[in-house]
């Protein structure tokens, strides 16, 4: 099966990918392959079985004169042109678990054709789940929580595979703020009703109500790549997500 | 007044900022200041009156050994630490219009403290509007349209200033697809109801219904930095957004 890790820049994708992979190997005695899909990363804690830097690196594009943002966009375009090569290589890995680590900036993978095209290709070949990683430093403000609850929904719509959410960095103090927030989402609603009336306020208010409901009903697991907390819970969540969708492990 | 331009990487923020600024100068005979908030950009078509690269550049951080993503995150952190210096400089510009161009990757500005803190500081000083730029290459798929309608809502919640949306690059063929999509959003709903049942599907479905309604009622202007189309419409939209919120121009 394939597990793809996504989240905003700095949420700890690479560390969680690595920690979860090592946990799988040790606890379940299974074969794990790592895939690096970030053309801009300099080094990874794991040895990738497939590395998209075979195709292009942001570094090389910058040497040719592009800025860091231009380099990332151009790298994404080059990967998109070669996406079937990438997915063929990933599909040929044949491990029990293939963990895909995505680019630092979530928009390169999720808001461009790169991610949807890759996941369409690999999900046709193996059961695939995406793990949306909530960063407590973002989610501990009301608007940041709104973003953190919306992005897993967008991930689900965009990648069309079962999507689970984890709060990562559970070792940092912001995590308990996020939990308190999610248990009492009325502060989210209060914040928006303090605003002036108007179309966007009405919409934003209904949107927040929807997210509040979402946060009350969804099961979110806490993980820490640092302490190793929550790996078993994450595994169970992924397993359940696949079962609900009728796929086999 | 202050106008801040946001959108996903490659949507044309910098070009639109420049084209709109030049239009304001020529058509309204007003003073315009440009602000560059992208620490990673190599050059801009306008001469910035304030440039955040005075504080830090991604290039410099990369020379010190960070990768492009790490460099962007670190640059954002350094700017956040100095945000009051930045906002004081912007507030001292005293032009009729100050146009703020934001980093290539939207998450650096919107999903981190940089954007909210800056806008809080400047909006207390001058009437401020944000312009969310929809990229038709993203919005011409159903899930991409969902993202393109959600991000202006998130912008509104996060920056707490009136937010208007424009479809940029109106000169490219994808624009007419987006318009057709927005006129008939049932395809968005159809796509989601084809999915399996389950909690996230139910939520995603309601979320899409909300966005469909949003797309039917919101007024979105078409612009092209290339042809100059829509500058007058954008100006009117910004003006109306401020009036609705009780601010003066």
């Amino acid at each position: 099966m394939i597990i793809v890790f996504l989240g905003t820049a700095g949420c700890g994708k690479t560390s969680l990918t690595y920690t979860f992979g090592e946990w799988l190997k040790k606890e379940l005695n299974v074969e794990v392959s790592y895939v690096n899909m970030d053309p801009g990363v300099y080094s990874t804690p794991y040895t990738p079985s497939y590395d998209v830097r075979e195709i292009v690196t942001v570094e090389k594009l910058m040497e040719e004169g592009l800025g860091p943002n231009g380099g990332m966009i151009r790298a994404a375009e080059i990967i998109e042109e070669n996406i079937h090569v990438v997915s063929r290589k990933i599909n040929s890995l044949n491990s029990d678990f293939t963990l895909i680590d995505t680019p630092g900036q979530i928009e390169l993978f999720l808001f461009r054709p790169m991610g949807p095209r890759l996941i369409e290709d690999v999900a046709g070949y193996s059961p695939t789940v995406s793990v949306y990683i909530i960063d407590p430093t973002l989610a501990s403000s009301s608007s940041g929580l709104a973003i953190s609850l919306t992005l897993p929904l967008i991930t689900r719509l965009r990648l069309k595979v079962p999507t689970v959410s984890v709060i990562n960095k559970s070792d940092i103090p912001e995590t308990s703020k996020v939990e308190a927030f999610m248990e009492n989402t009325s502060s989210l609603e209060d914040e928006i009703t303090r605003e002036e009336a108007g179309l966007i306020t009405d919409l934003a208010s209904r949107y927040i109500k929807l997210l509040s409901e979402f946060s009350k009903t969804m099961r979110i697991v806490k993980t820490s790549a640092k302490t190793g907390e929550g790996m078993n819970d994450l595994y169970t969540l992924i397993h359940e997500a696949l079962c609900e969708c009728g796929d086999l492990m």
Side-chain angles (χ1 to χ4, degrees), chain A residues 156 161-162 240-247:
Chain A
R156 176 67 186 82
V161 294
E240 287 172 1
L242 275 183
C243 293
E244 271 175 25
C245 288
D247 287 310

Side-chain angles (χ1 to χ4, degrees), chain A residues 59-132:
Chain A
E59 201 177 2
K60 174 101 191 305
L61 294 169
M62 289 181 69
E63 278 164 19
E64 292 168 7
L66 290 176
N69 183 50
M72 283 185 184
I73 294 178
R74 185 67 198 121
E77 287 169 351
I78 294 170
I79 296 167
E80 286 152 15
E81 286 158 18
N82 291 280
I83 204 70
H84 298 312
V85 177
V86 176
S87 52
R88 214 155 39 228
K89 296 225 176 169
I90 294 175
N91 288 339
S92 72
L93 291 175
N94 263 328
S95 294
D96 299 315
F97 289 85
T98 299
L99 309 189
I100 302 180
D101 188 16
T102 59
Q105 309 287 322
I106 193 172
E107 58 189 298
L108 277 193
F109 195 79
L110 199 61
F111 298 175
R112 299 193 49 96
M114 191 209 289
R117 283 189 194 156
L118 179 73
I119 300 306
E120 187 183 5
D121 274 6
V122 300
Y125 192 89
S126 300
T128 302
V129 171
S130 73
V131 175
Y132 181 82

Side-chain angles (χ1 to χ4, degrees), chain A residues 8-240:
Chain A
T8 51
C11 72
K13 283 180 282 288
T14 301
S15 315
L16 187 61
T17 302
Y18 175 61
T19 306
F20 187 60
E22 296 305 296
W23 181 88
L24 285 173
K25 283 198 240 177
K26 193 170 157 240
E27 298 294 323
L28 304 188
N29 197 24
V30 290
E31 272 177 60
V32 172
S33 293
Y34 295 102
V35 170
N36 170 48
M37 283 300 295
D38 186 351
V41 75
Y42 277 10
S43 67
T44 54
Y46 51 80
T47 307
S49 300
Y50 175 73
D51 193 332
V52 82
R53 291 176 298 177
E54 282 178 15
I55 291 178
V56 65
T57 67
V58 177
E59 201 177 2
K60 174 101 191 305
L61 294 169
M62 289 181 69
E63 278 164 19
E64 292 168 7
L66 290 176
N69 183 50
M72 283 185 184
I73 294 178
R74 185 67 198 121
E77 287 169 351
I78 294 170
I79 296 167
E80 286 152 15
E81 286 158 18
N82 291 280
I83 204 70
H84 298 312
V85 177
V86 176
S87 52
R88 214 155 39 228
K89 296 225 176 169
I90 294 175
N91 288 339
S92 72
L93 291 175
N94 263 328
S95 294
D96 299 315
F97 289 85
T98 299
L99 309 189
I100 302 180
D101 188 16
T102 59
Q105 309 287 322
I106 193 172
E107 58 189 298
L108 277 193
F109 195 79
L110 199 61
F111 298 175
R112 299 193 49 96
M114 191 209 289
R117 283 189 194 156
L118 179 73
I119 300 306
E120 187 183 5
D121 274 6
V122 300
Y125 192 89
S126 300
T128 302
V129 171
S130 73
V131 175
Y132 181 82
I133 304 169
I134 295 176
D135 187 340
T137 54
L138 171 63
S140 56
S141 76
S142 57
S143 60
L145 183 59
I147 296 172
S148 304
L149 295 173
T150 305
L151 285 172
L153 273 176
I154 288 178
T155 301
R156 176 67 186 82
L157 289 173
R158 190 90 171 134
L159 302 185
K160 301 184 173 62
V161 294
T163 300
V164 301
S165 299
V166 299
I167 300 181
N168 198 27
K169 306 183 190 171
S170 60
D171 51 288
I172 69 168
E174 281 85 349
T175 303
S176 49
K177 273 197 223 167
V178 180
E179 287 183 291
F181 233 153
M182 291 183 68
E183 274 162 34
N184 180 14
T185 47
S186 58
S187 53
L188 259 181
E189 292 169 44
D190 286 352
E191 180 149 326
I192 200 69
T193 51
R194 277 201 305 271
E195 309 275 345
E196 308 280 326
L199 169 64
I200 197 153
T201 308
D202 175 47
L203 278 160
S205 166
R206 288 166 54 202
Y207 166 63
I208 290 296
K209 277 198 175 63
L210 182 63
L211 292 179
S212 298
E213 235 177 282
F214 183 32
S215 87
K216 272 173 203 139
T217 46
M218 84 191 288
R219 202 176 126 217
I220 295 184
V221 151
K222 283 190 295 176
T223 58
S224 167
K226 199 171 163 186
T227 66
E229 186 198 346
M231 296 305 131
N232 195 24
D233 293 342
L234 175 56
Y235 177 74
T236 309
L237 197 63
I238 289 169
H239 191 96
E240 287 172 1

